[in-house]
Amino acid sequence: MRDVQGDADYRKIPIKQVGIRELRWPVLLKDKTRGVQPSVAKVSMAVDLPHNIRGTHMSRFVESLQTLEAISPESLERVLDALKERLEAQKAFLTLQFPYFIAKEAPVSGQRSLLDIECVYRAQKADAMRLRMEVAVPIHTLCPCSKEISAYGAHNQRATAKVEVETNGFVWIEELVQLAETGGSTAIYPLLKRPDEKWVTEKAFENPRFVEDAAREIAIRLESHPRIAWYRVSVDSIESIHNHNAFACIEKDWEDAKP
Amino acid sequence: MRDVQGDADYRKIPIKQVGIRELRWPVLLKDKTRGVQPSVAKVSMAVDLPHNIRGTHMSRFVESLQTLEAISPESLERVLDALKERLEAQKAFLTLQFPYFIAKEAPVSGQRSLLDIECVYRAQKADAMRLRMEVAVPIHTLCPCSKEISAYGAHNQRATAKVEVETNGFVWIEELVQLAETGGSTAIYPLLKRPDEKWVTEKAFENPRFVEDAAREIAIRLESHPRIAWYRVSVDSIESIHNHNAFACIEKDWEDAKP
Amino acid sequence: MRDVQGDADYRKIPIKQVGIRELRWPVLLKDKTRGVQPSVAKVSMAVDLPHNIRGTHMSRFVESLQTLEAISPESLERVLDALKERLEAQKAFLTLQFPYFIAKEAPVSGQRSLLDIECVYRAQKADAMRLRMEVAVPIHTLCPCSKEISAYGAHNQRATAKVEVETNGFVWIEELVQLAETGGSTAIYPLLKRPDEKWVTEKAFENPRFVEDAAREIAIRLESHPRIAWYRVSVDSIESIHNHNAFACIEKDWEDAKP
Amino acid sequence: MRDVQGDADYRKIPIKQVGIRELRWPVLLKDKTRGVQPSVAKVSMAVDLPHNIRGTHMSRFVESLQTLEAISPESLERVLDALKERLEAQKAFLTLQFPYFIAKEAPVSGQRSLLDIECVYRAQKADAMRLRMEVAVPIHTLCPCSKEISAYGAHNQRATAKVEVETNGFVWIEELVQLAETGGSTAIYPLLKRPDEKWVTEKAFENPRFVEDAAREIAIRLESHPRIAWYRVSVDSIESIHNHNAFACIEKDWEDAKP
């Protein structure tokens, strides 16, 4: 059968990325406490395509994914290398988005339960591999203005602190989550008994935070972290007194990234 | 050209609903204050199909929609009648989901802005037309337990009060929204200046509500409303101390519907 | 600390369902081939609440979930029993939505890969447990009308066949998937080499199907299945010549359900 | 009342963007045929915040939006100017996402109906305003490989061609849509009678296109368009033989943008 994809192309337009998206795939993740943790990822894979070739070979993306072992910088790089080789590309891209569960203890009762964190790994390789990790961590923010001007109470809400980093060494998901949680008036827990709820309520009231505060508190810690070369922080607050969200975003300039 | 859809079918299986979904269409809605309000709807249309006919004629659904004037019980019924006639059906179905804007005044400053309400109209007709209206109204809930057990503060959050009704007379969207807002510790406003934020914060603190309370407060008012024959209330609270929602649902038994 | 939830309520309105939603939780599923398969579920849990009690105890839902072992009718019933007991309820509800992976062989090359199926289990228990299983299976539909009237070609597209059943005996997810796939012009495969693509293209062209056909073909097989007491089939086709979907829905009348 | 947002900040971290998101707002759009067209937008607004100020004033975003007249480069710039002034910012950002309806005539019968196009306007202003327009246009792609290797038929599907541009002069949404439609094996129509369906089916079969072809055909036309300074094209195909999408992306290098 003729290989139509391999036809010559005369339109002189190189393609930055061509591949597959919205593929779901079971994955295994390194877990700081339990060794390994299963999850389900949404996967995107792509390569570049030179101007003189008509099409890529889509089935090879899925084939390359089948060799993926437990997710690590090394296993991601092996898939990128396979893509480059099998598809004769200069550059390969692999993105995985998946929920990851963290065991959390309630602050007073100590009861344990699981908190889901939405994570994204974005890997690409031309010569050297670059890897971005992103975690979206639920936090609780209590409004400093509302507390200051009101006789009692203060509006508060669930917010999401999204932290995206490039590292110059290994960093656990767990570590990024802890870092993101420092941005909130308090952390979020999957399971709280009454003494825990009292603790969380009072802790938040003592520690009011705008989205701007939350983003800055997280940025300070990312800035001083020895293995984080670059970061972007974005805090989105599901405002409880409005039907829209408030957000603040801080990003390290790429030129200032630590080597 | 042969009409394949009109072929006889021998599988002896009638089809409850066949039609189109996920169609977007511009609509005009009756507005209590301004006469008429434009919006964009997601539309679903269907008819039943007897066991002995192979297929319906999909293009006629879109054609029938083009005669839709400003949305009212009467204009919806005209589309249903057209569907029944053009598709030789016993039963026709039409669902429209759309955002609707309500002008709201801030409680102290009186500043006006627009609050978006997600609405659904579900109409169907065999002999007589039945019409269900649904509004999803953002409200604010402050936790009674958290207030009671804490030395200060109380966790609160945005919630959605979904009210679905069948009526025996005309009811404005605006009326259902006001009704749903009574369920919250306070209503939600698109625009609040500082004196408004103080008012809202204190009002919520004085008026704590579980999702169970919110649902019941709304149900009481629906129960005693003269033109509401049947209802379902569902309150979903974006818990600010958890990464999941709390919800409560009350439904009038169909047998008890007011004639 | 005072138990505010346990307060008496005088509004005389019982609550049909109160609980938590949008909770994500890791699960283990029975796998016909491999014994067990991990996945991540979106969970909803609820109980009824009598008119004279103000609120339920939300933390006990998450606690009850922690005892959930590999998903089976028996393990789901144990969670429902725990909910009824711990929350002093007459009725308990548990819904799990999760992706499940099926190993599929390409039709000619035999290459294996994984196809993701979105599944829902809806369990509830008052006296006896009732369990509904739902699978959403991607299929391929080729339009009989387009084939008939055109000189060459025929439009075709991805569709989703959603099959929901109540059984009177154990049925594997794999079995429901196979059943749903019979509705399509051809099944969908995660990985196809060129000879497979030829096979699939020709197979679909030889076997044109409207959404009405797809739904009926599936319904016939569900109707005659000895362990399926009740079913609903809904086929949604992402029409390739329109920007909206076509759908057809068949449902067994509940009164006709097999005992 | 104290202005907590105006407090000095000592963390030395400037904020790139702070503002509101997920706000819905009714808008009026310039319509090439009808003068003006109403729609509903999802809005995001932001400003930068210097390191030495604690917070922005969130209510002023909504206030500034209320002055927005029919959407045009000029009216967007007026909102950006208002944001910069009222929030004492160096930079302001405004993003609007909305459906826009295009009247389309069926290719043979000439029957008219409305096709919905999802659009995004991204405007920002430091010194000069920059404006990006994006349209997501549904098209139909028929696989050249499948056609080549099969005895009859060819798999085809709905795809989305997303075209994002910066212009150096006014460009109608209608013009971008037409441009994007050239990428497909055929365009998509909201309403097709039988002779139209025959035309579309045969046209697509005569004109097979990979996602790579679609992206390149669109890029060629964008490249030679006199008022398009920069562009990104991304074509996403809802593969009808798989449960994942294929995509191709071409982007003009920013350094090569036309002045």
Side-chain angles (χ1 to χ4, degrees):
Chain A
M1 295 177 194
R2 194 158 75 80
D3 175 8
V4 189
Q5 284 89 346
D7 281 357
D9 203 285
Y10 303 99
R11 283 168 289 198
K12 300 204 180 304
I13 300 184
I15 291 183
K16 291 248 163 161
Q17 290 191 31
V18 55
I20 61 174
R21 273 209 266 245
E22 300 289 318
L23 175 73
R24 290 205 289 185
W25 204 258
V27 289
L28 285 177
L29 299 153
K30 287 196 172 183
D31 183 313
K32 199 176 176 184
T33 334
R34 294 177 289 168
V36 79
Q37 171 177 152
S39 188
V40 174
K42 195 174 283 182
V43 181
S44 158
M45 307 175 83
V47 293
D48 63 338
L49 186 73
H51 71 88
N52 58 329
I53 298 177
R54 185 169 180 200
T56 191
H57 292 85
M58 295 290 182
S59 65
R60 297 185 195 167
F61 289 100
V62 181
E63 287 174 325
S64 299
L65 193 57
Q66 293 181 318
T67 64
L68 182 61
E69 298 148 44
I71 308 298
S72 67
E74 294 74 29
S75 72
L76 294 174
E77 188 160 12
R78 276 192 293 272
V79 172
L80 292 172
D81 286 334
L83 286 178
K84 286 177 63 180
E85 196 191 315
R86 304 189 67 168
L87 294 162
E88 298 173 60
Q90 298 303 308
K91 217 168 168 177
F93 305 84
L94 173 57
T95 299
L96 301 166
Q97 179 177 347
F98 52 88
Y100 181 85
F101 291 90
I102 304 264
K104 279 191 81 77
E105 276 183 20
V108 179
S109 71
Q111 281 213 37
R112 292 168 69 89
S113 189
L114 296 174
L115 181 67
D116 60 311
I117 306 294
E118 195 71 17
C119 303
V120 188
Y121 284 173
R122 292 182 184 87
Q124 56 172 270
K125 185 171 185 182
D127 296 324
M129 183 175 76
R130 281 179 57 187
L131 174 60
R132 287 200 178 173
M133 295 170 66
E134 180 187 306
V135 294
V137 181
I139 58 173
H140 178 93
T141 57
L142 184 138
C143 179
C145 170
S146 169
K147 176 182 173 183
E148 171 73 24
I149 62 182
S150 305
Y152 31 76
H155 80 80
N156 49 68
Q157 52 267 317
R158 195 193 302 165
T160 303
K162 207 177 266 186
V163 175
E164 195 179 354
V165 298
E166 284 201 33
T167 66
N168 49 29
F170 188 78
V171 174
W172 290 98
I173 291 176
E174 285 81 350
E175 203 174 341
L176 290 179
V177 171
Q178 269 190 315
L179 228 147
E181 286 181 335
T182 62
S185 294
T186 171
I188 288 260
Y189 300 86
L191 175 53
L192 295 171
K193 302 308 289 182
R194 237 169 304 169
D196 302 311
E197 187 170 351
K198 174 182 165 61
W199 187 93
V200 162
T201 304
E202 295 174 357
K203 169 87 182 298
F205 197 78
E206 292 158 3
N207 191 30
R209 291 273 170 88
F210 290 124
V211 283
E212 295 95 324
D213 294 320
R216 277 171 167 146
E217 289 299 322
I218 297 169
I220 284 177
R221 284 160 180 84
L222 290 164
E223 193 64 53
S224 66
H225 191 293
R227 288 191 307 288
I228 290 174
W230 171 90
Y231 63 85
R232 183 192 292 131
V233 185
S234 174
V235 178
D236 245 270
S237 159
I238 308 167
E239 292 294 286
S240 62
I241 57 171
H242 297 306
N243 201 25
H244 56 261
N245 294 357
F247 78 99
C249 180
I250 295 169
E251 187 178 330
K252 189 178 183 76
D253 287 328
W254 187 248
E255 306 82 67
D256 301 334
K258 296 174 208 156
Chain B
M1 294 176 195
R2 194 159 76 81
D3 175 9
V4 189
Q5 284 89 345
D7 282 357
D9 203 286
Y10 303 99
R11 284 169 288 199
K12 300 201 180 307
I13 300 185
I15 291 182
K16 292 247 162 162
Q17 291 191 31
V18 54
I20 61 174
R21 275 209 264 244
E22 301 289 317
L23 174 74
R24 290 205 289 186
W25 204 258
V27 288
L28 285 176
L29 299 153
K30 288 196 172 182
D31 183 312
K32 199 177 175 183
T33 334
R34 293 177 290 167
V36 80
Q37 170 177 152
S39 188
V40 173
K42 194 173 285 182
V43 180
S44 157
M45 307 175 84
V47 294
D48 62 338
L49 186 74
H51 71 88
N52 57 331
I53 298 177
R54 185 169 180 199
T56 191
H57 291 86
M58 295 290 182
S59 66
R60 298 186 195 166
F61 289 100
V62 181
E63 288 174 325
S64 299
L65 192 58
Q66 292 182 318
T67 64
L68 182 61
E69 299 147 43
I71 308 299
S72 67
E74 294 73 29
S75 71
L76 294 175
E77 188 159 11
R78 276 193 292 273
V79 172
L80 292 172
D81 285 335
L83 286 178
K84 286 177 62 181
E85 195 192 315
R86 304 188 68 167
L87 294 162
E88 298 173 60
Q90 298 303 308
K91 217 168 168 177
F93 306 84
L94 173 57
T95 299
L96 301 166
Q97 180 177 347
F98 53 88
Y100 181 86
F101 291 90
I102 304 263
K104 278 191 82 78
E105 277 183 20
V108 178
S109 70
Q111 282 213 35
R112 291 168 69 89
S113 189
L114 296 173
L115 180 67
D116 60 312
I117 306 294
E118 194 71 18
C119 303
V120 188
Y121 284 173
R122 291 183 184 88
Q124 57 172 269
K125 185 172 185 182
D127 296 322
M129 183 175 76
R130 282 178 57 185
L131 174 60
R132 287 200 177 174
M133 295 170 66
E134 180 186 306
V135 293
V137 182
I139 58 173
H140 177 93
T141 59
L142 184 138
C143 179
C145 169
S146 169
K147 176 181 172 182
E148 172 73 24
I149 63 181
S150 306
Y152 31 75
H155 80 80
N156 50 67
Q157 51 267 315
R158 195 194 301 165
T160 303
K162 207 177 266 184
V163 175
E164 195 179 355
V165 298
E166 284 200 33
T167 65
N168 48 28
F170 188 77
V171 174
W172 291 99
I173 290 176
E174 285 81 351
E175 203 174 340
L176 290 179
V177 171
Q178 268 190 316
L179 227 146
E181 286 181 334
T182 62
S185 293
T186 172
I188 288 259
Y189 299 87
L191 175 54
L192 295 171
K193 303 306 290 181
R194 237 168 306 168
D196 302 311
E197 187 171 351
K198 174 182 165 62
W199 186 92
V200 162
T201 304
E202 295 174 357
K203 169 86 182 299
F205 197 78
E206 292 158 2
N207 192 30
R209 291 273 171 89
F210 290 123
V211 283
E212 294 95 324
D213 293 322
R216 278 173 168 146
E217 290 298 322
I218 298 169
I220 284 177
R221 285 160 180 84
L222 290 164
E223 192 64 53
S224 66
H225 191 294
R227 289 191 307 289
I228 290 173
W230 171 90
Y231 63 85
R232 183 191 291 130
V233 185
S234 174
V235 178
D236 245 270
S237 159
I238 308 167
E239 292 294 286
S240 63
I241 57 171
H242 298 304
N243 201 24
H244 55 261
N245 294 357
F247 78 100
C249 180
I250 296 169
E251 186 178 331
K252 189 179 183 75
D253 287 329
W254 187 247
E255 306 82 65
D256 301 334
K258 297 173 207 156
Chain C
M1 294 178 194
R2 195 158 76 80
D3 175 8
V4 188
Q5 284 88 345
D7 281 357
D9 202 285
Y10 302 100
R11 284 169 288 198
K12 300 203 180 306
I13 300 185
I15 290 181
K16 291 246 164 164
Q17 289 191 32
V18 54
I20 61 175
R21 276 211 263 244
E22 302 288 318
L23 175 73
R24 290 206 289 186
W25 202 258
V27 288
L28 286 175
L29 300 153
K30 287 195 173 184
D31 183 313
K32 199 176 175 183
T33 333
R34 293 178 289 168
V36 81
Q37 170 178 153
S39 188
V40 173
K42 195 173 283 184
V43 181
S44 158
M45 308 175 82
V47 293
D48 63 337
L49 187 72
H51 73 87
N52 58 327
I53 297 177
R54 186 172 179 196
T56 191
H57 292 85
M58 295 289 183
S59 65
R60 297 185 195 167
F61 289 100
V62 182
E63 288 174 323
S64 299
L65 192 58
Q66 292 181 318
T67 64
L68 182 61
E69 299 147 43
I71 308 298
S72 68
E74 295 72 29
S75 72
L76 293 175
E77 188 160 11
R78 276 193 292 273
V79 172
L80 292 172
D81 285 334
L83 286 178
K84 286 177 63 180
E85 195 191 315
R86 302 188 69 167
L87 294 162
E88 297 173 59
Q90 298 302 309
K91 218 169 169 177
F93 307 83
L94 173 58
T95 299
L96 300 165
Q97 180 178 347
F98 52 89
Y100 182 86
F101 291 90
I102 304 264
K104 278 191 81 76
E105 276 183 20
V108 179
S109 71
Q111 281 212 37
R112 293 167 69 89
S113 189
L114 296 173
L115 179 67
D116 60 312
I117 306 294
E118 194 71 17
C119 303
V120 187
Y121 283 172
R122 291 182 184 87
Q124 57 171 270
K125 186 172 184 181
D127 296 324
M129 182 175 76
R130 283 180 56 186
L131 174 61
R132 288 199 176 174
M133 294 170 67
E134 180 186 306
V135 294
V137 181
I139 58 173
H140 178 94
T141 59
L142 184 137
C143 179
C145 170
S146 169
K147 176 182 172 182
E148 172 73 25
I149 63 181
S150 305
Y152 31 76
H155 80 81
N156 50 67
Q157 52 267 318
R158 195 193 303 164
T160 302
K162 208 177 264 187
V163 174
E164 195 178 355
V165 299
E166 285 201 31
T167 66
N168 48 30
F170 188 77
V171 175
W172 290 100
I173 290 177
E174 284 81 353
E175 203 174 341
L176 290 179
V177 171
Q178 269 189 315
L179 228 146
E181 287 181 335
T182 63
S185 294
T186 172
I188 289 258
Y189 299 86
L191 175 54
L192 295 171
K193 301 308 289 182
R194 238 169 304 171
D196 302 311
E197 188 170 351
K198 175 181 164 61
W199 186 93
V200 162
T201 303
E202 295 173 358
K203 168 85 181 300
F205 197 78
E206 292 158 3
N207 192 29
R209 292 273 171 91
F210 290 124
V211 284
E212 294 94 323
D213 294 321
R216 277 173 168 144
E217 290 299 322
I218 298 170
I220 283 177
R221 285 160 180 82
L222 289 164
E223 193 63 52
S224 66
H225 191 293
R227 288 191 309 287
I228 289 174
W230 172 90
Y231 63 85
R232 182 191 292 131
V233 185
S234 173
V235 178
D236 245 271
S237 159
I238 308 168
E239 291 296 286
S240 62
I241 57 171
H242 297 305
N243 201 24
H244 55 261
N245 295 357
F247 78 99
C249 180
I250 295 169
E251 186 178 331
K252 190 180 184 72
D253 286 328
W254 187 248
E255 306 82 65
D256 301 335
K258 297 174 208 156
Chain D
M1 294 176 195
R2 194 159 76 79
D3 175 8
V4 188
Q5 284 88 346
D7 281 357
D9 203 286
Y10 303 100
R11 284 169 288 198
K12 300 202 181 305
I13 300 184
I15 290 182
K16 291 247 163 163
Q17 290 191 32
V18 54
I20 61 175
R21 276 210 263 246
E22 301 289 318
L23 175 73
R24 290 205 290 185
W25 202 258
V27 288
L28 286 176
L29 299 153
K30 288 194 172 185
D31 182 312
K32 199 177 175 183
T33 333
R34 293 177 289 167
V36 81
Q37 170 178 154
S39 188
V40 174
K42 195 173 282 184
V43 181
S44 158
M45 308 175 83
V47 293
D48 63 337
L49 186 73
H51 72 88
N52 58 329
I53 297 177
R54 186 172 179 196
T56 191
H57 291 85
M58 295 289 182
S59 66
R60 297 184 195 168
F61 289 100
V62 181
E63 287 174 325
S64 299
L65 192 58
Q66 292 181 319
T67 65
L68 183 61
E69 299 148 42
I71 308 298
S72 68
E74 294 73 29
S75 71
L76 294 175
E77 188 160 10
R78 275 193 293 274
V79 172
L80 291 172
D81 285 334
L83 286 178
K84 285 176 64 180
E85 194 192 316
R86 304 188 68 167
L87 294 163
E88 297 173 58
Q90 298 302 307
K91 217 169 169 176
F93 306 83
L94 173 57
T95 299
L96 300 166
Q97 179 177 346
F98 52 88
Y100 181 86
F101 291 90
I102 304 264
K104 278 192 82 75
E105 276 183 21
V108 178
S109 70
Q111 280 213 37
R112 293 168 68 88
S113 190
L114 296 173
L115 180 67
D116 59 312
I117 306 294
E118 194 71 18
C119 304
V120 188
Y121 284 173
R122 290 182 184 87
Q124 57 171 270
K125 186 171 184 181
D127 296 323
M129 183 175 75
R130 283 179 56 186
L131 174 60
R132 288 200 176 173
M133 293 171 67
E134 180 186 307
V135 294
V137 181
I139 58 173
H140 178 94
T141 59
L142 184 138
C143 179
C145 171
S146 170
K147 176 182 172 182
E148 172 72 24
I149 62 181
S150 305
Y152 31 77
H155 79 81
N156 50 67
Q157 53 267 316
R158 195 194 302 165
T160 303
K162 208 177 264 185
V163 175
E164 195 178 354
V165 299
E166 284 201 32
T167 66
N168 48 29
F170 188 77
V171 174
W172 290 99
I173 290 177
E174 284 82 352
E175 203 175 340
L176 290 179
V177 171
Q178 269 189 314
L179 227 146
E181 286 181 336
T182 62
S185 295
T186 171
I188 288 258
Y189 299 87
L191 175 54
L192 296 171
K193 302 306 290 181
R194 239 169 305 170
D196 303 311
E197 188 170 352
K198 174 182 164 61
W199 185 93
V200 161
T201 303
E202 295 172 358
K203 167 87 181 301
F205 196 78
E206 293 157 3
N207 192 29
R209 292 273 172 89
F210 290 123
V211 284
E212 294 94 326
D213 293 321
R216 277 173 168 144
E217 289 299 321
I218 298 169
I220 283 177
R221 285 159 180 84
L222 289 165
E223 193 64 53
S224 66
H225 191 294
R227 288 191 308 288
I228 289 174
W230 171 90
Y231 63 85
R232 182 191 291 132
V233 185
S234 173
V235 178
D236 245 90
S237 159
I238 308 168
E239 292 295 286
S240 63
I241 58 170
H242 297 305
N243 202 24
H244 55 261
N245 295 356
F247 78 100
C249 180
I250 296 170
E251 186 178 332
K252 191 179 182 73
D253 286 329
W254 188 247
E255 306 82 64
D256 300 334
K258 297 173 208 156

